[in-house]
Amino acid sequence: MRQNKINYSIIAKIIGILLSIEGLFILLSLPFSIYFATPDYSTIHLFESDKGFWPLIISGLITIATGLIIFFAFRNASSSLTKKEGFVIVTFSWIIISIFGALPLYLSSTTPTITDAFFETISGFTTTGSSILNDIEIVPKGILFWRSMTHWIGGMGIIVLSLAILPIFGIGGMSLFVAEVPGPTPDKLHPRIAATAKRLWGIYVLLTFIETALLMFGGMDLFDGLCHAFGTIATGGFSTQNASVADYSPYIQYVIIVFMILAGTNFTLHYLALHGNLKETIKNEEYRYYMLIILVFSAIIATVLILNTGTEIEASVRNSLFQVVSIVTTTGFVTDNYLLWPNYLWMLIFLLMFIGGNAGSTGGGIKVIRQLLIIKNSFLELKRLVHPNAIIPVRLNDIAVPKNIIFNILAFVILYFFIFAISIIIMSVIGLDYQTSIGAVAASLGNIGPGLGSVGPICNYSDIPDVGKWFLSFLMLLGRLELFTVLILFSPAFWKN
């Protein structure tokens, strides 16, 4: 009976914990407000030059207080979690932390409306990177740091972070891990789920630290280095500059390329590589297919740019590689306006919006592993037609893939494109032109950021009607949690005891 009945008390208790954690992260942005404020420490108007200081203080304290009140109100709730409760917690926690995470942006007047503040924040937490800000460089530094930190929290998932903490309160987290971790086959690095979360976050922090150091070596200060590392490792794409990464040196762009590739790779492979098992990474079929896509598409685009636009060879190679990696990994940084390339090239970029990173990475999208298994299954169907009585399983890395996973993948892809088609119609009805509708939906559902038309690489989402922003916010959440985690909540059977 317990397996079917939803315990709302434990759901509230965990959301309280997550809000408390979020409030602490908000307060971590304060040092940058202080540092970039007026150096005249003798005046009582110390923080007037950075309008983000008090909004961060107020938002952080409100979030922590709310979280603690909820936690202590339900502190005696049962410590066991069912899969149903895992789905509810993951979906609603993402919405709730986005609401509270929007407070600094709204209270500081960085965004003019609550709709814009929520859109910007859920875009951050879902690592989409779609923005409504027309002039990023005038935003208070503390607010800008918090904006980038939403990427970093959302990239690995505040749920996975909480898995390392929940055992302290006697709460098991496997249901949360299954619901939140992207990909059809989330890998566990350790029999205990909390230990798995700690290992994942350890790798995540290590990559962030290394990239920040390399970016600072290339001329960035600590603030810009951290913000761009957050956006890269989380495959988010928020930059501190209006031109994104375009005005930075080739060295910095190459560093970001490398770390976007790493961020789009299954973190289990990073764990194996760090423990001396690099051969497993190189042999991994998903990783090899992922790298093949990047190299082939980059080579095609670079060749066309060199032959048809007169761009220098190095710049053409760098721009093509950067944009392909940025779109495939769903990061969304830009160095060039791909809509100015020949039409067939930006159409290739559009096709890449449906690839996604590896399973178990911070990337969004359909995921490489799903496409690889569909291709393998399609070719095997030809053999099954010739040998109808033969049992020919789909194999990945020499391991037979169960049929239920293949069916799940086929259902996911069909549902993904069905939602994509319906969403285009909805956005067109709202008033967007056809190209912008396609681009906005593809970018939001795939957690990419830049799209096509008026939401292209040098534009943003500020002109989208409010109802469109709320709908795209829903698509971001849907894409980040891989459809089923959210859609199952709309099933009447789910809520029945």
Side-chain angles (χ1 to χ4, degrees):
M1 188 68 178
R2 171 72 182 95
Q3 290 295 320
N4 295 319
K5 188 176 181 180
I6 298 175
N7 185 344
Y8 293 100
S9 295
I10 187 62
I11 292 172
K13 180 179 178 179
I14 293 178
I15 288 177
I17 295 171
L18 295 178
L19 281 176
S20 300
I21 295 172
E22 181 187 18
L24 293 174
F25 272 114
I26 292 175
L27 295 180
L28 285 177
S29 303
L30 287 173
F32 290 99
S33 278
I34 296 172
Y35 179 80
F36 287 102
T38 173
D40 183 7
Y41 291 95
S42 61
T43 175
I44 61 172
H45 302 297
L46 172 63
F47 304 113
E48 284 190 357
S49 66
D50 190 310
K51 296 180 180 179
F53 181 80
W54 289 113
L56 287 169
I57 285 279
I58 294 169
S59 301
L61 294 179
I62 288 175
T63 305
I64 292 173
T66 304
L68 290 177
I69 290 170
I70 294 173
F71 171 74
F72 283 109
F74 297 96
R75 64 183 180 278
N76 295 322
S78 169
S79 61
S80 61
L81 277 175
T82 65
K83 186 176 290 188
K84 273 189 175 183
E85 288 152 4
F87 286 125
V88 174
I89 290 168
V90 167
T91 301
F92 282 95
S93 65
W94 229 263
I95 296 171
I96 292 170
I97 65 173
S98 295
I99 292 172
F100 280 84
L103 289 176
L105 281 81
Y106 182 68
L107 294 179
S108 65
S109 300
T110 297
T111 56
T113 66
I114 294 175
T115 295
D116 286 346
F118 181 82
F119 181 90
E120 193 81 13
T121 307
I122 198 168
S123 176
F125 279 120
T126 58
T127 72
T128 304
S130 302
S131 180
I132 54 84
L133 300 179
N134 291 310
D135 192 348
I136 297 168
E137 295 171 24
I138 66 170
V139 176
K141 298 297 185 181
I143 300 298
L144 209 55
F145 188 79
W146 167 241
R147 174 177 176 263
S148 292
M149 191 180 284
T150 59
H151 273 342
W152 199 70
I153 297 171
M156 184 57 68
I158 195 171
I159 300 300
V160 177
L161 171 65
S162 70
L163 293 179
I165 299 172
L166 292 182
I168 298 174
F169 302 97
I171 301 170
M174 187 59 194
S175 297
L176 297 183
F177 186 73
V178 171
E180 201 282 328
V181 173
T185 55
D187 294 296
K188 291 177 62 180
L189 308 181
H190 191 276
R192 293 178 63 83
I193 193 65
T196 297
K198 290 174 182 176
R199 283 163 169 75
L200 288 173
W201 267 91
I203 296 169
Y204 196 60
V205 171
L206 178 63
L207 290 175
T208 304
F209 174 80
I210 295 173
E211 185 187 358
T212 301
L214 291 174
L215 291 175
M216 291 178 68
F217 180 79
M220 281 190 181
D221 59 20
L222 178 62
F223 174 79
D224 285 331
L226 280 172
C227 288
H228 285 89
F230 289 165
T232 305
I233 302 303
T235 64
F238 279 158
S239 175
T240 58
Q241 305 297 314
N242 291 328
S244 188
V245 187
D247 290 339
Y248 286 108
S249 68
Y251 165 83
I252 285 179
Q253 293 178 15
Y254 280 122
V255 168
I256 291 176
I257 287 171
V258 170
F259 281 87
M260 284 192 295
I261 292 173
L262 292 175
T265 302
N266 191 325
F267 272 64
T268 302
L269 299 181
H270 294 322
Y271 179 82
L272 294 173
L274 288 171
H275 284 76
N277 201 351
L278 187 60
K279 186 180 294 185
E280 286 297 318
T281 299
I282 298 173
K283 288 171 56 180
N284 183 273
E285 288 188 64
E286 182 190 20
Y287 178 75
R288 291 164 67 179
Y289 183 60
Y290 164 69
M291 291 304 297
L292 181 64
I293 290 172
I294 290 173
L295 293 175
V296 169
F297 276 81
S298 296
I300 292 172
I301 293 174
T303 301
V304 174
L305 290 178
I306 292 169
L307 296 178
N308 292 276
T309 65
T311 309
E312 293 180 0
I313 294 177
E314 187 278 329
S316 296
V317 171
R318 174 164 38 88
N319 285 332
S320 61
L321 181 60
F322 192 101
Q323 293 310 142
V324 168
V325 172
S326 182
I327 297 299
V328 168
T329 62
T330 71
T331 305
F333 283 136
V334 297
T335 57
D336 200 3
N337 184 3
Y338 52 75
L339 294 183
L340 296 180
W341 294 352
N343 289 352
Y344 50 90
L345 287 190
W346 60 258
M347 283 304 296
L348 288 180
I349 293 292
F350 175 67
L351 292 177
L352 290 174
M353 292 181 181
F354 298 95
I355 301 295
N358 290 191
S361 73
T362 59
I366 293 175
K367 296 290 191 302
V368 171
I369 194 172
R370 289 192 176 98
Q371 295 160 62
L372 180 58
L373 288 174
I374 287 176
I375 292 171
K376 281 176 170 281
N377 186 65
S378 299
F379 280 109
L380 286 179
E381 279 298 323
L382 298 177
K383 289 186 178 180
R384 295 182 186 122
L385 289 174
V386 179
H387 306 286
N389 296 322
I391 300 176
I392 312 174
V394 177
R395 292 184 176 276
L396 183 70
N397 299 318
D398 297 324
I399 299 174
V401 179
K403 281 189 176 180
N404 67 302
I405 290 181
I406 300 297
F407 294 151
N408 178 280
I409 288 172
L410 292 172
F412 177 91
V413 173
I414 291 171
L415 186 59
Y416 190 96
F417 282 104
F418 176 77
I419 293 171
F420 173 69
I422 295 297
S423 298
I424 292 172
I425 296 173
I426 292 173
M427 294 304 292
S428 297
V429 170
I430 289 173
L432 274 65
D433 63 85
Y434 188 60
Q435 188 181 80
T436 301
S437 297
I438 292 176
V441 170
S444 298
L445 192 58
N447 303 131
I448 297 162
L452 304 175
S454 62
V455 294
I458 63 169
C459 306
N460 63 24
Y461 290 70
S462 60
D463 292 332
I464 302 290
D466 282 358
V467 64
K469 290 173 184 172
W470 285 106
F471 182 70
L472 292 178
S473 296
F474 172 72
L475 292 184
M476 293 178 204
L477 181 68
L478 201 60
R480 176 64 179 87
L481 299 182
E482 306 224 331
L483 307 188
F484 295 124
T485 301
V486 178
L487 293 179
I488 195 173
L489 302 184
F490 291 90
S491 169
F494 177 87
W495 300 100
K496 292 180 180 179
N497 292 332

